[in-house]
Structure formats: C-alpha cells, structure tokens
Amino acid sequence: MGLGKTLAVRGLTLIAVLFCVLLLTVAVIGATGVSDRILNAMLNERLRGIRQVLSTQITDPDELNRAIEAIEDDLIHSYGLDQPWYVRMPSMLARIIILDLGNARTIQTFTGSRLVSDIILERLPNTILIMITVLIINFLVGLIIGVKSATRPGSLLDRFISIYSSISYAIPTWWLGLLMILVFSFYFRLFPFGGMFSAPPPTELIPRLLDLIWHAAMPIITLVIALSGSWIYITRSVVITTAQEDFVTVARAKGLSERLVMWRYIIRVAAPPILTNLMLGLAAYLGGAILTETVFSWPGMGLLYYHAIVSIDEALILALTYIFTLIYVISRFLLEVFYVILDPRVRYG
Amino acid sequence: MSLFLREALREFWRGSLSKLGVIFLSIVIIVSFYTTTTMPLDYGTRFWSNPVFWVNNPKAAPPEWVNTFVSPKLLEHKVLSTSLPASVDAVEGSILKRYSVSYKLGVEQFPQFFNLEVSNLTYHEAPPTLILSILKPDGYSIDLYTFIVERPFENESIPFIRYTLEPKRVLLSGEVQVARALSNFISARYGELLSPSQIIDIGYEQIIFGERSALKSFTPLKGTYTLTLTLASRNPNDNIGSCRFILGGQVYGLMGTDLLGRDLFSGLLFGFPVALLIGFATSVITTALGAGLGIMSGYIGGRIDDLIQRFSDIVNNFPQLPLLIFLTFIFGGKLWVIVLVLVAFGWPGLTIIVRSMVLSVKGAPFVESALAVGASRLRIMGRHIFPQVAPFILSQLIFYTPSAILSEAALSFLGLGDPTIPTWGQILEYGFRNGAVYLGYWWWILPPGLLIIYSAITFVFIAMGLEPVVNPRLRRWR
C-alpha cells in the first residue's frame, strides 16, 4: 500500500468512528425521548421571541394567539416534532454536526450568550491548550526515561519505573488532582485552588502569561504524573523487545558504538510501535483532561461536562460528546500522518 | 495438574509483585466477605442515603486517632445508653423512675451538641412526663427539658407503646425550652439576668458544660456529669425500653464523618464488595465477549471475520469516557447500566489480539489432526484453540479489572454513580462538591482514593506477575 492509500484507509476508519458515534448518540437520544425534549426547548425559545415581536404589532390578544398558534404549527413541522424520532434522525444528525442545539440551561459564555455552540467554542481552546502541553511533555518524558531504563534492565531506575508505572496506572487522575490541591494549595499555599486566571486577571501580557502558567501548572503536572507511567513502561518494553532482535546483536558484533546501536538500530525501529501505543493512549488523555479540568475548575470543556451533568443539560452533553469525538478523531489522524512519516515500510511499501 | 500449569505457576510465583498482588487480593476478598455477611445488602438506601440515621453524629469530624498526634486533645464523640432505672421513688402518688448515666468531660472542650433518644416507652394510664436533667461536677443541677408523651389514640388498647420503629429524638440545641431553663439557672447560680436569646448566642453547651469566666463567656468545666432522664408516671409498670444520651464530639470513629455525619468507615467498608463486583462482573463479561468473538473471527474467517474486524476496529477507536458519560447520563446511573456500558466499549481490543493469536495456531498440526479425525468446528475452537490462548485471556481478564474499577469511580466522581449503592467514587464526589479539599478535610479525601488505588493496584500487580508467564520473551530480563 502506498502512502496515500494507507492514510485514506485510516482516515476512512476514523470518519466511520465519528459517524458511528453520532449515529449511536442520535439513536439513543431519539429512542429515549431526549431529542424531543431538546427540540421542544428550542421551539419554545423561538416562540417566546416571536411572541415578543408580534405583541408590539398585534394588539388584539385573540388574534395574537391565533397567529402564534399558526407559527407554532409551522415550527413543529420544521423541527420534525410531528414525526417519529427515526424519521428525523438525519436532520438531528445535521443539527449536532453544526452544533445547532439551542440554548444551554444555566451556563453562559463570558459575553452572556447561552447558545450551546458559543459556549463550546469559547471553552475549546482552553482544553486544547492543556491537552497539547501534556501530550508534548509526556512524549519527551516517556521517551527519555523509557529508553534510559530499557538500557539497564533490572537496575534501580528500571525497578522504580515498574512500580511507578503500576501505581500511575492504578491512580485515578482526578483523585491525584484532589491530592495535589490538598497538599500544594491547602497546606503549602503554593498554587491556586483552581481556575485559569486570578481575580481580577492581570491585564499586561507578561504578568497575564505568568498567571496563566501558575494556574495551569497543577493540572498539567497532575496529568503528566498520572499518564506518564504506563507510557514510560510501554516505551521500555518495546525498546527491550527490539534490543533482542538479531540485527541488533549483529550491529554490536560489528563493533558499532553502543550509542549508535541504541539510536539507529533500536530506537529507530522501535519508534513506530511506540507511536502506535501513543495513539491507543489518546483516549486516556481525553478522559484525563475531562476529569482534571473538573477538579481544578479549569474553564475548558471537561468542566463544562461536569456542569452540564449537574444542571441536567442534555443538549450540552450531546454537543460535548460530539466535540470530544471530533477532537479525538482529528488528533488520531494527525498521529497517523506522523506514523506514516516514521515508518518506511508504509512509505515505500 | 499438568506440567505446563505447574511451570506457569512457579514462574508466576517467582515475581515479588505477584506475591504482593495475591496478598492484597486475599485482603480485599476477606474484607468483602466480612462486609457482605455483616452489613445489609440494602445498606445504601436504608442507611447511607438516609440523613435521619446519621443525625446523632458530629458533622465533618476527623477520625478519633488524630488525638494521638494533636495537642490539645479533641473531644471524643460519646453515646451513653441505659435501659434500667437507677432509682425508683414514689412521691405524692406518682412514680419517679430515674434513668441516669455519667459522662466524664476530660478535655478542655465543649461537646458540640447534646441529643436525647428514647425508644420503646410503655405506659398504662395517663401519659407520663419525661424530665431531662443534669448534675454538674460543681454540684449544681439543671432541669433542661420536659415533655409529655403523646396521649393514647382512640380505641388503642393497654399497654400503650411509643417510639418503637423510630425513637423519640430531642435535639437540645433546637429547643427554646432549654434556653428558658438555662436563663433560670444563670439567675439562680450567678445572679445575672440573661434573656433566652442571649443564652442562644452563648450556646447551650457552653452553659451546660461550662463555668463562667466573664459576663458572657464560659470555659469548659472538666469532671463527671450525671445525666438523668426521669419518667414521672402513675403506674409502676410504666417504663422506658432504652434511652441514649448523645454528646457530640469533635472526632469520630475510625475514619471520621462527612458533612451529613455519616460514618465514613462503614461507607468505605461497603465499597469493597461493590468495587470487587464491578471489577469482576465487567472484566469477566468483557473478556468472554472479546475472546469469543476473537476466536470466532480468527478460526471461521471469511465474511464473519470481516464483519467482526470492521466492527471491533471502529468500536476500539471510540473515545471512551465521553461516551461513558453520555450513555450513563441518558440511561441513568444504575450499577448494571454502568457495567453494561463498560462492557460495550471494552471488548474490541481483546478481539483484535485474540484473532491474530488464533490465526497463528490455526494451521498448527494438532488442529489439522483434530480436523482430520472429524472434530466439529465448535469442538476445535473449544478444546484445541482456546487452551492455546487461555493464559493470555486470563491475564487480560485480570488486567481489565482495575480499569473497570477506575472507570466506575470516575463516573461516580462526575456525579453519575448509582445513588442507591455507596462507592468510593461517590464518597469523593460528595466531598469534592462540598468543598472538602478547600477546607482541608483530608480524612474524607485520602482514604477513598487510597482504597481505589489499592484495589486497582492489586490486579495490576497480579497482571504484571502473569506477564512473563504469558510472554516468555520478558522472562530473561529479570
């Protein structure tokens, strides 16, 4: 398979994933009657607006009611509320894709908009910021420490890594966050309890940036500690397995320097499977981000999830599930591209 | 026992992590067994989520053993009960039965509150009167509270029994009558006139268990108090089944309490079998489904293989947590919903790996020979192929258990747990929502999290111990 074809196949799978998730959510909300509730809420919101406008033009209350009833019938038809849920599945699907889901129940944007799409777009960058930072730090930490412990299996560092990775696998990210707040915010007063900026936020660029870093430090450290363990361990296992291959023995027999053997013969070969594992771990990053944001009141989409659950906001949860799947699919695809660049078997195959 | 199994067990037992894992697991199992045999199965609905049950406990109190580390010592919670009268007197035609207990105040602290509970009171004629009084160490006595038992209903037959299902609860801090009694006491003892509202400002417990140091300030009076509940009635057969005097402390029990006064120790204990159930139910169903589909897909091949592979490839790439949140939110957080949702997204990873393993043994001579003697497909899959992949499946079963426990805890933490069953995740969620981390209630935050880690790491250790058994390549490196 050539490069383009490989990417196309992977891309299609990911699009299928996105589509299946959307289909699943639409079917679930349709069958349980949630979509009726969402559409009805949107309808009532529109009607209220129309009533306000009309009441300035039509003074006779009977006539006003008749006019509004006519409009309501039209709207019910246009929203598809007069049809069973499976008939309006395609339109509901389209609605989710463009985030046309009406207003959130209680949550607002900074500027006061209650539209689901506005709220999500406002929070999106904050989540991406945390996720990318953590991904980069973890990638480096995992590679450096994983390779180091693989070169000396059985050493003190190596044994420490096995224990650390099993603890880090078993530790709930969000609980680690609670622990960090308890220790560093409550007892030592070193870091803020949560949020993204101090109140009031600094206005100049440099202090503002420092304030942001100060607030972001704890969520990022929490995620790195919680997620790096298994990642280091996998890197170590892959490197150890590769180091037992015959061509590595041959390279050593040729008298090549250990450094050269390590980087050119072991790590270069181990890179694609390591990347594969990074891809498989991506879902854990998303999950970790949702929970960590909640713990640290980081105003991203994870915290939004929590608020949506607490305020029983179905439209918002639907939108968030879609957006998280979208982020996941896009970042998976980016990693696939990276994989193709790294693995020559795919490139020239 | 076959040679292979013995060899595998020896290899497993060689690792120190696997030994630790087995020890941890036996502790989890013993505690779960103890909990399920001693606690009722409807503990969650009957006690845990029933605030009335916890009304006599101090709120957000740290565990008792913190007294080993802090100075000055914090006051311990005390529940004193009695069911036999200490003395019986007859005065002017009425019988006075006195039920009393003594309470020793040993630290410089006031009790947080003072409650009284009376249960199974029996009377035969007129409704009796109950009088709560206290004798202080300095010899002064106060009649704090008086009440008359409810009259008989129409057509009720003698004897009249009261407070059988629910005890009569008197929360003294909520009774205005006590303020008047204390106002009288202060004017008699110190010659000061304080209005009931001033008494409320000072606090009942301060006056009852204190000594005046300035006009309106009291210091704790150490010593032994006698608390007495007097039953005044006409009939000598009238009696009280049992009465309890509750003196609220600042520390409580082994693990402290939460904001509702719930004993965290019992909640944490109940979490053991629940975690074990969630972990095992989810991982067993998931592995059975995943392995079954994997063996089918690998051995049968053809269109079924294509279908299963496409499907598992897609489901395997679902972002888990968002969908878990979505589905449990829509279907409601019931335990079985959570387990089913976890199964629904857990199986494909195993299916893909098992399929590739089956492909490699499919063409082996022993399979072909079985086929040659006419074994059915089902028999070949069950008797010849399954044993080849069984060790791997077992290790996956154990490896998946902690992730089920962790996922349930995460869902609970987001407020999607099963409200009828207390779990560690829910205890943490309630703590987080009520600001336990910001107030430094460490006893509420640390133990549930540590238990989640403990139960998860148990299975991680066992799975890591199994790894060299399943994957002999790693064996050399130890």
Side-chain angles (χ1 to χ4, degrees), chain A residues 6-7 10-11 14 275 279 329-342, chain B residues 317:
Chain A
T6 314
L7 277 183
R10 296 311 299 165
L14 289 171
L275 193 64
M279 282 192 242
V329 162
I330 291 174
S331 34
R332 269 298 295 272
F333 189 73
L334 292 178
L335 285 177
E336 298 285 357
V337 172
F338 196 46
Y339 184 88
V340 167
I341 295 169
L342 263 184
Chain B
N317 285 317

Side-chain angles (χ1 to χ4, degrees), chain A residues 69-126:
Chain A
E69 259 167 43
I71 294 170
E72 190 177 357
D73 287 343
D74 274 359
L75 281 179
I76 286 177
H77 185 70
S78 80
Y79 278 105
L81 277 166
D82 50 352
Q83 291 159 327
W85 63 271
Y86 42 85
V87 177
R88 63 177 135 81
M89 253 169 81
S91 71
M92 196 68 205
L93 212 66
R95 230 175 248 290
I96 297 175
I97 289 174
I98 56 169
L99 283 179
D100 177 17
L101 290 167
N103 284 344
R105 217 160 260 185
T106 52
I107 298 156
Q108 291 186 346
T109 62
F110 221 57
T111 49
S113 165
R114 282 176 56 214
L115 276 182
V116 167
S117 51
D118 288 351
I119 296 173
I120 297 231
L121 288 181
E122 187 192 60
R123 305 286 190 106
L124 187 62
N126 300 347

Side-chain angles (χ1 to χ4, degrees), chain B residues 72 80 96 107 113 156 158 176 187 211 241 247 252 259 263 269 273 291 301 321 335 349 356 373 375 387 459:
Chain B
L80 304 160
L96 299 180
V107 294
F113 52 84
E156 198 183 357
I158 297 173
V176 187
S187 75
E211 204 173 17
L247 296 124
Y252 182 88
L259 214 58
D263 181 9
L269 213 53
L321 192 65
L335 201 62
S356 64
V373 295
F459 294 99

Side-chain angles (χ1 to χ4, degrees), chain B residues 385-398:
Chain B
I385 294 192
F386 175 71
Q388 296 298 310
V389 289
F392 177 75
I393 291 174
L394 178 72
S395 82
Q396 287 302 299
L397 184 133
I398 287 166

Side-chain angles (χ1 to χ4, degrees), chain A residues 92-332:
Chain A
M92 196 68 205
L93 212 66
R95 230 175 248 290
I96 297 175
I97 289 174
I98 56 169
L99 283 179
D100 177 17
L101 290 167
N103 284 344
R105 217 160 260 185
T106 52
I107 298 156
Q108 291 186 346
T109 62
F110 221 57
T111 49
S113 165
R114 282 176 56 214
L115 276 182
V116 167
S117 51
D118 288 351
I119 296 173
I120 297 231
L121 288 181
E122 187 192 60
R123 305 286 190 106
L124 187 62
N126 300 347
T127 297
I128 304 255
L129 176 73
I130 290 270
M131 272 189 55
I132 292 201
T133 319
V134 171
L135 207 63
I136 292 172
I137 295 178
N138 255 353
F139 181 76
L140 295 177
V141 166
L143 206 61
I144 293 167
I145 299 183
V147 168
K148 197 155 198 138
S149 89
T151 47
R152 293 184 214 92
S155 69
L156 201 64
L157 175 78
D158 191 42
R159 262 178 287 168
F160 173 75
I161 291 301
S162 336
I163 293 171
Y164 167 65
S165 69
S166 50
I167 291 175
S168 136
Y169 179 79
I171 223 170
T173 319
W174 46 276
W175 183 76
L176 185 66
L178 293 179
L179 192 67
M180 300 275 285
I181 294 182
L182 198 64
V183 174
F184 294 107
S185 305
F186 182 78
Y187 285 112
F188 294 133
R189 307 265 163 196
L190 283 176
F191 287 99
F193 279 98
M196 198 168 167
F197 289 106
S198 309
T203 41
E204 283 163 68
L205 183 67
I206 301 292
R208 200 179 161 82
L209 209 62
L210 287 176
D211 195 46
L212 179 69
I213 293 173
W214 188 51
H215 279 79
M218 284 237 291
I220 288 175
I221 294 171
T222 304
L223 276 171
V224 167
I225 294 177
L227 297 172
S228 63
S230 53
W231 166 232
I232 293 174
Y233 191 73
I234 286 167
T235 310
R236 167 190 170 274
S237 304
V238 173
V239 170
I240 285 183
T241 315
T242 318
Q244 292 174 43
E245 296 285 352
D246 291 339
F247 61 81
V248 177
T249 318
V250 172
R252 286 216 174 93
K254 279 198 290 191
L256 295 180
S257 78
E258 197 51 39
R259 205 185 152 78
L260 198 69
V261 172
M262 196 69 212
W263 286 99
R264 202 170 288 167
Y265 285 76
I266 299 177
I267 293 175
R268 185 64 191 86
V269 176
I274 290 175
L275 193 64
T276 308
N277 278 303
L278 189 65
M279 282 192 242
L280 292 178
L282 203 63
Y285 280 78
L286 271 183
I290 292 176
L291 293 157
T292 313
E293 279 183 10
T294 306
V295 171
F296 290 100
S297 339
W298 181 264
M301 294 196 307
L303 183 66
L304 197 57
Y305 243 130
Y306 183 66
H307 288 318
I309 291 169
V310 171
S311 61
I312 320 183
D313 200 325
E314 288 143 347
L316 206 49
I317 289 197
L318 189 61
L320 281 169
T321 306
Y322 161 63
I323 290 289
F324 266 107
T325 313
L326 193 64
I327 295 181
Y328 176 73
V329 162
I330 291 174
S331 34
R332 269 298 295 272

